[in-house]
Amino acid sequence: MSGLSASPASSPVTGGGNVPRHVAIIMDGNGRWAKRRFLPRIAGHRAGAEAVRTVVRAARDMGVQALTLYAFSSENWRRSTEEVSDLMGLLKLYLRREIRELNSENVRLRTIGDLSGLGKDLVALAQEGVEATKNNTGLNFVLALNYGAQDEMLRAVRDIASQVAAGTLSPADIDHASIETRLDTRDLPPLDLLIRTSGERRLSNFLLWQAAYAELLFVDTLWPDFDRKALADALSDYGTRERRFGGR
């Protein structure tokens, strides 16, 4: 259930615990939530979008610096054409509805992943949101769109290889920082806590490099039911953990 994270610093909170600077969530269980209610899958995704609204604001209020949500993975293209279309439509609806409110709440919207693989309308909306909120100083709200950690690392390695081939980088100078500064998350705080909902216990190609020393938390709650209290409970659990970073 638990792992360790990439950096020992974190923010103090009331009660002697610590608030993780960077929280990432694999939002799982929308389909099962809908199935249990005899609803179509899109109803589960719509309920999941409402959970996103709740959790973003809760994370901001609780002092989290960065919240990364796995909104659409590079593997999600394998789903039915109808479901992919529904998800894309829901993402566009969410962005249209939320950009102004995020901006008014001092939340900075960011994206990670290969946006070139998405539709032009969705990319334009995402870029509009990023541009509109770029000067905000509160929570960094990061949407992982068409994201896959293996693809992210492959892109980093290809960039390094091209510099080596061009003679501008020596193989002897390649180190951890050479990878990290080329990752999509390069200007975000190190990942402290990774949560997966719905009872599944795998990372599903999400932030694999960043999770090397992250605390891992797997909860049975389906994503549409993951609310402010669920996030508070997750942060409380994080605050009880002793992080050794391989030192002992």
Side-chain angles (χ1 to χ4, degrees):
M1 289 246 325
S2 67
L4 301 171
S5 176
S7 177
S10 53
S11 305
V13 295
T14 303
N18 293 301
V19 174
R21 292 157 306 168
H22 186 177
V23 177
I25 306 178
I26 301 173
M27 304 178 292
D28 197 12
N30 290 347
R32 275 167 283 175
W33 184 93
K35 185 176 181 180
R36 290 178 184 179
R37 290 162 176 77
F38 303 99
L39 297 171
R41 287 180 66 85
I42 186 59
H45 293 313
R46 290 188 184 119
E50 290 303 313
V52 169
R53 298 184 79 237
T54 298
V55 170
V56 168
R57 284 149 183 85
R60 177 203 60 189
D61 295 345
M62 294 174 191
V64 174
Q65 294 178 25
L67 174 69
T68 300
L69 300 183
Y70 208 4
F72 190 85
S73 80
S74 53
E75 287 74 35
N76 285 158
W77 296 107
R78 301 172 187 170
R79 298 186 179 186
S80 71
T81 302
E82 181 182 8
E83 184 171 2
V84 169
S85 177
D86 286 342
L87 284 168
M88 291 299 162
L90 190 57
L91 281 167
K92 286 187 280 189
L93 179 64
Y94 176 86
L95 288 168
R96 288 193 188 101
R97 185 178 67 176
E98 292 298 306
I99 289 172
R100 182 177 297 179
E101 190 166 351
L102 291 172
N103 198 24
S104 70
E105 295 176 353
N106 198 32
V107 174
R108 183 179 180 184
L109 178 66
R110 319 279 287 272
T111 64
I112 59 173
D114 181 10
L115 297 190
S116 67
L118 300 172
K120 291 181 180 179
D121 289 351
L122 178 55
V123 172
L125 278 169
Q127 291 175 339
E128 177 187 336
V130 169
E131 180 65 22
T133 62
K134 67 180 182 181
N135 294 321
N136 291 343
T137 57
L139 173 73
N140 285 281
F141 170 36
V142 187
L143 283 174
L145 297 170
N146 196 27
Y147 174 86
Q150 292 175 336
D151 174 71
E152 176 188 35
M153 288 187 280
L154 183 60
R155 286 187 274 117
V157 169
R158 283 175 174 163
D159 186 58
I160 291 171
S162 67
Q163 291 197 20
V164 171
T168 58
L169 179 64
S170 167
D173 292 331
I174 298 172
D175 56 13
H176 286 79
S178 302
I179 300 288
E180 289 177 352
T181 56
R182 290 170 170 84
L183 296 178
D184 296 349
T185 54
R186 54 189 168 271
D187 55 352
L188 293 171
L191 181 61
D192 290 321
L193 174 64
L194 193 156
I195 304 166
R196 181 167 187 151
T197 62
S198 88
E200 302 292 344
R201 286 164 171 76
R202 55 183 178 274
L203 298 184
S204 295
N205 199 20
F206 185 50
L207 299 178
L208 299 181
W209 177 281
Q210 297 86 342
Y213 278 97
E215 294 290 332
L216 306 182
L217 179 64
F218 302 103
V219 298
D220 292 332
T221 307
L222 301 177
W223 174 248
D225 294 325
F226 194 90
D227 55 13
R228 177 178 289 265
K229 181 180 183 303
L231 180 64
D233 288 345
L235 300 195
S236 178
D237 180 280
Y238 171 87
T240 67
R241 300 189 184 189
E242 181 181 2
R243 308 184 71 197
R244 300 185 182 91
F245 303 96
R248 55 187 172 89

